[in-house]
Amino acid sequence: MSKRVFLCSICNISSGNCSEDCKFCTQSVYHNTQIEKYKTKPTEEIIEEAKTAKKNGAYGFCLVTSGVGLDKKKREYVAQNAKVVKAEVSGLKLIGCNGLASVEDLQYLKDNGIDNYNHNLETEKDFYETICTTHDWEERFQTCKNVKEVGLKLVSGGIFGMGESEDERKKFFDQLALLQPDTIPLNFFHPNAELALTQDKIDPDEALKVIEYARSIFPEKRIMVAGGREVTFKERWLEIFDAGANAIVIGNYLTTKGEVISKDKEELEKAGFILG
């Protein structure tokens, strides 16, 4: 097991009011979730979050927007903030996570400071139809292909514990392997009574097996444990590295609170991990 861990921080630069019906997502207008909603976050706040992330060991900083994909206005908003963050906070790799995107959109983001693009397949192709009906899995797959076409680093993974079978998980990883992402985020469903999806949280031992299987499929890739880490693993979270993870998201997520950003850094260093 490598003792080097990559840290990434998420910045939710627009929140809520998404027109899609994804059953797992608190930002969908189909669910009456009590989340903070805003069209844009002030650039000054984004810069401060970037500085905090870097101070606490993050190397990746992800600019996330709600909604199904990019239009020219949203594309410009992401690009402008990317340029400012790059100018104000040196040494961060910027990740765009802005939904479905064309080659033209992605080239524009790349030209304006985005280094990586995150677009998750979420789950196995056929199972996806049971959790989202307002856009197709194939559109997600095509966006990932577009990312690679323009030469951005691809970040793509999924969510586990949504009711999918073990066989469907294996099929998902087979489908993901066709894309060969540079980083594979593994999210674990965080139950919320206001969502349409009514699954209990995944058992931590089962979640560790997901990580182990991901590592067996992607022996040389970055395996990142992201959403749901705290509620799934609790005090056992350092076991994810024995299972094969070599990256985590630190701080808050899109609409849920994470661990205090400095605490993860302290625990990792105490356990002998090297950050970066």
PDB file of all heavy atoms in Angstrom, residues 37-58:
ATOM      1  N   LYS A  37     -29.806  27.204  -1.886  1.00  0.00           N
ATOM      2  CA  LYS A  37     -29.900  27.308  -3.339  1.00  0.00           C
ATOM      3  C   LYS A  37     -29.417  28.685  -3.799  1.00  0.00           C
ATOM      4  O   LYS A  37     -29.795  29.700  -3.227  1.00  0.00           O
ATOM      5  CB  LYS A  37     -31.346  27.083  -3.795  1.00  0.00           C
ATOM      6  CG  LYS A  37     -31.888  25.704  -3.419  1.00  0.00           C
ATOM      7  CD  LYS A  37     -33.361  25.561  -3.751  1.00  0.00           C
ATOM      8  CE  LYS A  37     -33.891  24.202  -3.303  1.00  0.00           C
ATOM      9  NZ  LYS A  37     -35.333  24.041  -3.560  1.00  0.00           N
ATOM     10  N   TYR A  38     -28.581  28.696  -4.827  1.00  0.00           N
ATOM     11  CA  TYR A  38     -28.094  29.959  -5.389  1.00  0.00           C
ATOM     12  C   TYR A  38     -27.598  29.704  -6.806  1.00  0.00           C
ATOM     13  O   TYR A  38     -27.109  28.623  -7.121  1.00  0.00           O
ATOM     14  CB  TYR A  38     -26.983  30.559  -4.534  1.00  0.00           C
ATOM     15  CG  TYR A  38     -25.892  29.584  -4.141  1.00  0.00           C
ATOM     16  CD1 TYR A  38     -24.780  29.363  -4.962  1.00  0.00           C
ATOM     17  CD2 TYR A  38     -25.966  28.876  -2.941  1.00  0.00           C
ATOM     18  CE1 TYR A  38     -23.792  28.476  -4.606  1.00  0.00           C
ATOM     19  CE2 TYR A  38     -24.977  27.977  -2.581  1.00  0.00           C
ATOM     20  CZ  TYR A  38     -23.888  27.788  -3.409  1.00  0.00           C
ATOM     21  OH  TYR A  38     -22.909  26.899  -3.066  1.00  0.00           O
ATOM     22  N   LYS A  39     -27.737  30.713  -7.664  1.00  0.00           N
ATOM     23  CA  LYS A  39     -27.308  30.562  -9.055  1.00  0.00           C
ATOM     24  C   LYS A  39     -25.808  30.654  -9.193  1.00  0.00           C
ATOM     25  O   LYS A  39     -25.202  29.931  -9.996  1.00  0.00           O
ATOM     26  CB  LYS A  39     -27.985  31.623  -9.928  1.00  0.00           C
ATOM     27  CG  LYS A  39     -29.459  31.358 -10.177  1.00  0.00           C
ATOM     28  CD  LYS A  39     -30.017  32.329 -11.208  1.00  0.00           C
ATOM     29  CE  LYS A  39     -31.471  31.990 -11.521  1.00  0.00           C
ATOM     30  NZ  LYS A  39     -32.034  32.932 -12.544  1.00  0.00           N
ATOM     31  N   THR A  40     -25.207  31.574  -8.447  1.00  0.00           N
ATOM     32  CA  THR A  40     -23.754  31.741  -8.520  1.00  0.00           C
ATOM     33  C   THR A  40     -23.199  32.059  -7.139  1.00  0.00           C
ATOM     34  O   THR A  40     -23.864  32.693  -6.315  1.00  0.00           O
ATOM     35  CB  THR A  40     -23.356  32.875  -9.489  1.00  0.00           C
ATOM     36  OG1 THR A  40     -23.974  34.104  -9.065  1.00  0.00           O
ATOM     37  CG2 THR A  40     -23.758  32.554 -10.920  1.00  0.00           C
ATOM     38  N   LYS A  41     -21.978  31.624  -6.903  1.00  0.00           N
ATOM     39  CA  LYS A  41     -21.264  31.946  -5.668  1.00  0.00           C
ATOM     40  C   LYS A  41     -20.291  33.085  -5.976  1.00  0.00           C
ATOM     41  O   LYS A  41     -19.609  33.057  -7.014  1.00  0.00           O
ATOM     42  CB  LYS A  41     -20.511  30.716  -5.162  1.00  0.00           C
ATOM     43  CG  LYS A  41     -19.687  30.970  -3.903  1.00  0.00           C
ATOM     44  CD  LYS A  41     -19.032  29.682  -3.406  1.00  0.00           C
ATOM     45  CE  LYS A  41     -20.045  28.798  -2.711  1.00  0.00           C
ATOM     46  NZ  LYS A  41     -19.404  27.612  -2.095  1.00  0.00           N
ATOM     47  N   PRO A  42     -20.181  34.070  -5.111  1.00  0.00           N
ATOM     48  CA  PRO A  42     -19.236  35.163  -5.360  1.00  0.00           C
ATOM     49  C   PRO A  42     -17.798  34.659  -5.514  1.00  0.00           C
ATOM     50  O   PRO A  42     -17.368  33.761  -4.792  1.00  0.00           O
ATOM     51  CB  PRO A  42     -19.381  36.032  -4.111  1.00  0.00           C
ATOM     52  CG  PRO A  42     -20.753  35.733  -3.589  1.00  0.00           C
ATOM     53  CD  PRO A  42     -20.978  34.284  -3.890  1.00  0.00           C
ATOM     54  N   THR A  43     -17.084  35.258  -6.446  1.00  0.00           N
ATOM     55  CA  THR A  43     -15.713  34.848  -6.725  1.00  0.00           C
ATOM     56  C   THR A  43     -14.837  34.937  -5.479  1.00  0.00           C
ATOM     57  O   THR A  43     -13.963  34.092  -5.260  1.00  0.00           O
ATOM     58  CB  THR A  43     -15.117  35.698  -7.862  1.00  0.00           C
ATOM     59  OG1 THR A  43     -15.895  35.478  -9.044  1.00  0.00           O
ATOM     60  CG2 THR A  43     -13.672  35.328  -8.139  1.00  0.00           C
ATOM     61  N   GLU A  44     -15.070  35.937  -4.641  1.00  0.00           N
ATOM     62  CA  GLU A  44     -14.261  36.108  -3.439  1.00  0.00           C
ATOM     63  C   GLU A  44     -14.387  34.886  -2.522  1.00  0.00           C
ATOM     64  O   GLU A  44     -13.404  34.450  -1.912  1.00  0.00           O
ATOM     65  CB  GLU A  44     -14.682  37.367  -2.676  1.00  0.00           C
ATOM     66  CG  GLU A  44     -14.414  38.674  -3.400  1.00  0.00           C
ATOM     67  CD  GLU A  44     -15.424  38.961  -4.516  1.00  0.00           C
ATOM     68  OE1 GLU A  44     -16.476  38.272  -4.565  1.00  0.00           O
ATOM     69  OE2 GLU A  44     -15.150  39.853  -5.334  1.00  0.00           O
ATOM     70  N   GLU A  45     -15.592  34.333  -2.436  1.00  0.00           N
ATOM     71  CA  GLU A  45     -15.796  33.136  -1.604  1.00  0.00           C
ATOM     72  C   GLU A  45     -15.102  31.916  -2.211  1.00  0.00           C
ATOM     73  O   GLU A  45     -14.543  31.085  -1.491  1.00  0.00           O
ATOM     74  CB  GLU A  45     -17.298  32.853  -1.443  1.00  0.00           C
ATOM     75  CG  GLU A  45     -18.035  33.869  -0.591  1.00  0.00           C
ATOM     76  CD  GLU A  45     -19.483  33.479  -0.373  1.00  0.00           C
ATOM     77  OE1 GLU A  45     -19.795  32.265  -0.446  1.00  0.00           O
ATOM     78  OE2 GLU A  45     -20.300  34.390  -0.140  1.00  0.00           O
ATOM     79  N   ILE A  46     -15.157  31.826  -3.520  1.00  0.00           N
ATOM     80  CA  ILE A  46     -14.488  30.709  -4.205  1.00  0.00           C
ATOM     81  C   ILE A  46     -12.989  30.753  -3.954  1.00  0.00           C
ATOM     82  O   ILE A  46     -12.358  29.723  -3.665  1.00  0.00           O
ATOM     83  CB  ILE A  46     -14.796  30.751  -5.712  1.00  0.00           C
ATOM     84  CG1 ILE A  46     -16.305  30.559  -5.942  1.00  0.00           C
ATOM     85  CG2 ILE A  46     -14.001  29.675  -6.460  1.00  0.00           C
ATOM     86  CD1 ILE A  46     -16.748  30.799  -7.379  1.00  0.00           C
ATOM     87  N   ILE A  47     -12.402  31.940  -4.043  1.00  0.00           N
ATOM     88  CA  ILE A  47     -10.965  32.098  -3.813  1.00  0.00           C
ATOM     89  C   ILE A  47     -10.609  31.700  -2.385  1.00  0.00           C
ATOM     90  O   ILE A  47      -9.610  31.004  -2.145  1.00  0.00           O
ATOM     91  CB  ILE A  47     -10.524  33.545  -4.098  1.00  0.00           C
ATOM     92  CG1 ILE A  47     -10.648  33.852  -5.600  1.00  0.00           C
ATOM     93  CG2 ILE A  47      -9.081  33.773  -3.636  1.00  0.00           C
ATOM     94  CD1 ILE A  47     -10.461  35.306  -5.941  1.00  0.00           C
ATOM     95  N   GLU A  48     -11.412  32.128  -1.417  1.00  0.00           N
ATOM     96  CA  GLU A  48     -11.137  31.793  -0.020  1.00  0.00           C
ATOM     97  C   GLU A  48     -11.212  30.279   0.206  1.00  0.00           C
ATOM     98  O   GLU A  48     -10.399  29.712   0.945  1.00  0.00           O
ATOM     99  CB  GLU A  48     -12.106  32.526   0.906  1.00  0.00           C
ATOM    100  CG  GLU A  48     -11.803  34.011   1.069  1.00  0.00           C
ATOM    101  CD  GLU A  48     -10.366  34.277   1.491  1.00  0.00           C
ATOM    102  OE1 GLU A  48      -9.927  33.675   2.489  1.00  0.00           O
ATOM    103  OE2 GLU A  48      -9.686  35.065   0.818  1.00  0.00           O
ATOM    104  N   GLU A  49     -12.184  29.628  -0.424  1.00  0.00           N
ATOM    105  CA  GLU A  49     -12.278  28.174  -0.297  1.00  0.00           C
ATOM    106  C   GLU A  49     -11.062  27.494  -0.918  1.00  0.00           C
ATOM    107  O   GLU A  49     -10.548  26.501  -0.394  1.00  0.00           O
ATOM    108  CB  GLU A  49     -13.565  27.674  -0.959  1.00  0.00           C
ATOM    109  CG  GLU A  49     -14.818  28.010  -0.173  1.00  0.00           C
ATOM    110  CD  GLU A  49     -16.060  27.370  -0.763  1.00  0.00           C
ATOM    111  OE1 GLU A  49     -15.990  26.205  -1.221  1.00  0.00           O
ATOM    112  OE2 GLU A  49     -17.122  28.030  -0.770  1.00  0.00           O
ATOM    113  N   ALA A  50     -10.598  28.042  -2.030  1.00  0.00           N
ATOM    114  CA  ALA A  50      -9.409  27.484  -2.686  1.00  0.00           C
ATOM    115  C   ALA A  50      -8.179  27.637  -1.796  1.00  0.00           C
ATOM    116  O   ALA A  50      -7.363  26.708  -1.676  1.00  0.00           O
ATOM    117  CB  ALA A  50      -9.180  28.159  -4.031  1.00  0.00           C
ATOM    118  N   LYS A  51      -8.031  28.770  -1.169  1.00  0.00           N
ATOM    119  CA  LYS A  51      -6.894  29.002  -0.278  1.00  0.00           C
ATOM    120  C   LYS A  51      -6.941  28.061   0.923  1.00  0.00           C
ATOM    121  O   LYS A  51      -5.908  27.510   1.330  1.00  0.00           O
ATOM    122  CB  LYS A  51      -6.887  30.463   0.181  1.00  0.00           C
ATOM    123  CG  LYS A  51      -6.497  31.460  -0.904  1.00  0.00           C
ATOM    124  CD  LYS A  51      -6.533  32.890  -0.371  1.00  0.00           C
ATOM    125  CE  LYS A  51      -6.101  33.876  -1.438  1.00  0.00           C
ATOM    126  NZ  LYS A  51      -6.180  35.284  -0.950  1.00  0.00           N
ATOM    127  N   THR A  52      -8.133  27.876   1.483  1.00  0.00           N
ATOM    128  CA  THR A  52      -8.289  26.962   2.622  1.00  0.00           C
ATOM    129  C   THR A  52      -7.952  25.533   2.218  1.00  0.00           C
ATOM    130  O   THR A  52      -7.290  24.799   2.960  1.00  0.00           O
ATOM    131  CB  THR A  52      -9.727  27.032   3.167  1.00  0.00           C
ATOM    132  OG1 THR A  52      -9.996  28.359   3.616  1.00  0.00           O
ATOM    133  CG2 THR A  52      -9.920  26.056   4.319  1.00  0.00           C
ATOM    134  N   ALA A  53      -8.425  25.145   1.033  1.00  0.00           N
ATOM    135  CA  ALA A  53      -8.156  23.790   0.548  1.00  0.00           C
ATOM    136  C   ALA A  53      -6.655  23.557   0.404  1.00  0.00           C
ATOM    137  O   ALA A  53      -6.122  22.537   0.865  1.00  0.00           O
ATOM    138  CB  ALA A  53      -8.847  23.568  -0.787  1.00  0.00           C
ATOM    139  N   LYS A  54      -5.971  24.497  -0.219  1.00  0.00           N
ATOM    140  CA  LYS A  54      -4.527  24.336  -0.417  1.00  0.00           C
ATOM    141  C   LYS A  54      -3.786  24.313   0.921  1.00  0.00           C
ATOM    142  O   LYS A  54      -2.868  23.506   1.119  1.00  0.00           O
ATOM    143  CB  LYS A  54      -3.983  25.454  -1.301  1.00  0.00           C
ATOM    144  CG  LYS A  54      -2.503  25.267  -1.603  1.00  0.00           C
ATOM    145  CD  LYS A  54      -1.926  26.363  -2.451  1.00  0.00           C
ATOM    146  CE  LYS A  54      -0.427  26.125  -2.661  1.00  0.00           C
ATOM    147  NZ  LYS A  54       0.207  27.227  -3.421  1.00  0.00           N
ATOM    148  N   LYS A  55      -4.178  25.176   1.830  1.00  0.00           N
ATOM    149  CA  LYS A  55      -3.550  25.232   3.149  1.00  0.00           C
ATOM    150  C   LYS A  55      -3.632  23.894   3.865  1.00  0.00           C
ATOM    151  O   LYS A  55      -2.732  23.518   4.626  1.00  0.00           O
ATOM    152  CB  LYS A  55      -4.218  26.329   3.982  1.00  0.00           C
ATOM    153  CG  LYS A  55      -3.696  26.450   5.406  1.00  0.00           C
ATOM    154  CD  LYS A  55      -4.462  27.510   6.171  1.00  0.00           C
ATOM    155  CE  LYS A  55      -4.006  27.596   7.624  1.00  0.00           C
ATOM    156  NZ  LYS A  55      -4.797  28.597   8.396  1.00  0.00           N
ATOM    157  N   ASN A  56      -4.719  23.157   3.600  1.00  0.00           N
ATOM    158  CA  ASN A  56      -4.943  21.884   4.286  1.00  0.00           C
ATOM    159  C   ASN A  56      -4.552  20.680   3.444  1.00  0.00           C
ATOM    160  O   ASN A  56      -4.994  19.562   3.702  1.00  0.00           O
ATOM    161  CB  ASN A  56      -6.395  21.800   4.730  1.00  0.00           C
ATOM    162  CG  ASN A  56      -6.674  22.688   5.923  1.00  0.00           C
ATOM    163  OD1 ASN A  56      -6.358  22.342   7.056  1.00  0.00           O
ATOM    164  ND2 ASN A  56      -7.255  23.845   5.671  1.00  0.00           N
ATOM    165  N   GLY A  57      -3.718  20.905   2.438  1.00  0.00           N
ATOM    166  CA  GLY A  57      -3.106  19.798   1.722  1.00  0.00           C
ATOM    167  C   GLY A  57      -3.755  19.388   0.426  1.00  0.00           C
ATOM    168  O   GLY A  57      -3.299  18.438  -0.219  1.00  0.00           O
ATOM    169  N   ALA A  58      -4.841  20.070   0.012  1.00  0.00           N
ATOM    170  CA  ALA A  58      -5.512  19.699  -1.237  1.00  0.00           C
ATOM    171  C   ALA A  58      -4.649  20.065  -2.440  1.00  0.00           C
ATOM    172  O   ALA A  58      -4.019  21.116  -2.472  1.00  0.00           O
ATOM    173  CB  ALA A  58      -6.869  20.370  -1.342  1.00  0.00           C
TER     174      ALA A  58
END
